[in-house]
Amino acid sequence: MSLLFTPSKVGSVQLRNRIIIAPMCQYSAEEGCATDWHMIHLGNLALSGAGLLTIEATAVVPEGRISPDDLGLWSDDTEAALSRVLQTVRRYSDIPIAIQLAHAGRKASVRVPWEGGAQIKPNESRGWQTYAPSAIPFAEGDNPPVALDRGEMEIIREAFGEAAKRAARLGLDAIQIHAAHGYLLHEFLSPLANQRDDEYGGSLENRMRFPLEVYDVVRAAFPADRPVSVRVSGSDWAEGGWDSEQTVAFAKALEKRGCSAVHVSSGGLVPTQKIPVGPGYQVPLARAVKAATKLPTIAVGLITSYDHAEAIVANGDADFVALARTILYEPHWPWHAAAHLGATVKAPKQYLRSQPARYRHLLEG
């Protein structure tokens, strides 16, 4: 039997298999509100046969958006817009759905990728002042962020909690807190971005303090039986930065707080990073967390081969495999993986007739 297609349970959420659709920014919201694009995009992925679908990085305050076109969950309007999308998706799919709550920190206020992704400065149209642990810009020539004071940190912390309450009202099955890719919580964790001299900077314990406080607020605001996970960057791939050893320490602190899972990515903090990109290049970072804790662990990054995904789970490198660009390119990747590995996968009843003659037991309604 394929281990990749073995069912699993995280909290109260039953997953049909170990394939997770990772959050992927679409840069297609209007003032933080989900649009028809999100309905098409999420609806398509909801029919993929994966075990869990994760909604893209969703800002908890307007200033926390990566771009002006990012999704948000900070108001009644943003909640209502996402509710409309979810109601339609759920009408035709029972896939569990999670949401990633985020704040972009010093990497906020940028143009969408197809317009180059450069920073939009505060005095430019649609731009705003960014905030971070310390007043250190992401890239040379960027308008520097304002170092957050304690009052501003409290506002952001509570905004994560309010967004978690909205996620609960929307009936979302799980929350992932974004503490990776150089965004705000990762900025607090890494000594390359956090040079504070108060109790939120300096030592590893101090640098972990604010991300852990955010976790506590989200966990308290979301129903206890629904999972709350954290996405981390297992390495900055830069000298003197965040690394695997510190990631393990952070994961252990999360484990003590009852965290449901850790999703291990990497990079994104500094433009000078040197990433050894290749198939499964981040898997060792996930393996280190899994070896040191009892937390369910998710591996991600250039996982495209069905056999490779199976091996990651079968070898105990991670408990789950997450797909991003791979599943955008091949939305029925789980179908093809199940066919290759001799497993079965859930499909809409409208599509059951598409089952190939050589795989008569592949699709189940």
Side-chain angles (χ1 to χ4, degrees), residues 290-318:
K290 182 171 172 58
T293 71
K294 294 181 180 179
L295 282 169
T297 305
I298 304 163
V300 68
L302 284 183
I303 300 169
T304 60
S305 157
Y306 314 133
D307 289 326
H308 185 198
E310 173 73 15
I312 289 168
V313 177
N315 293 340
D317 293 326

Side-chain angles (χ1 to χ4, degrees), residues 164-365:
K165 292 176 184 177
R166 293 182 186 279
R169 287 200 294 268
L170 288 167
L172 287 160
D173 297 288
I175 286 175
Q176 181 182 100
I177 298 170
H178 201 351
H181 299 168
Y183 299 126
L184 183 67
L185 300 185
H186 182 188
E187 291 163 16
F188 269 93
L189 291 170
S190 176
L192 296 180
N194 182 349
Q195 296 182 10
R196 300 175 71 96
D197 57 7
D198 61 5
E199 61 265 48
Y200 290 94
S203 69
L204 175 60
E205 180 182 7
N206 283 358
R207 286 183 278 115
M208 294 193 305
R209 193 182 307 277
F210 186 64
L212 290 174
E213 288 177 354
V214 168
Y215 171 83
D216 289 343
V217 167
V218 171
R219 180 66 281 177
F222 202 56
D225 63 334
R226 298 191 220 172
V228 174
S229 67
V230 177
R231 188 167 194 178
V232 299
S233 278
S235 173
D236 287 342
W237 303 113
E239 185 177 353
W242 185 256
D243 56 22
S244 183
E245 183 179 347
Q246 294 174 87
T247 301
V248 167
F250 185 46
K252 287 181 176 179
L254 289 167
E255 184 177 27
K256 289 179 181 178
R257 286 167 155 77
C259 183
S260 303
V262 170
H263 185 152
V264 187
S265 186
S266 72
L269 187 90
V270 291
T272 55
Q273 63 189 11
K274 292 180 172 59
I275 304 178
V277 176
Y281 70 101
Q282 295 174 151
V283 172
L285 302 172
R287 184 191 305 127
V289 171
K290 182 171 172 58
T293 71
K294 294 181 180 179
L295 282 169
T297 305
I298 304 163
V300 68
L302 284 183
I303 300 169
T304 60
S305 157
Y306 314 133
D307 289 326
H308 185 198
E310 173 73 15
I312 289 168
V313 177
N315 293 340
D317 293 326
D319 299 287
F320 301 92
V321 168
L323 306 177
R325 280 171 267 201
T326 295
I327 206 162
L328 288 185
Y329 183 76
E330 192 178 355
H332 285 153
W333 191 97
W335 292 23
H336 301 302
H340 181 78
L341 297 169
T344 60
V345 68
K346 177 77 180 289
K349 60 182 180 293
Q350 294 92 334
Y351 288 179
L352 293 178
R353 288 182 298 166
S354 72
Q355 185 162 250
R358 65 187 182 278
Y359 300 124
R360 280 299 177 195
H361 304 290
L362 171 63
L363 303 181
E364 55 185 14

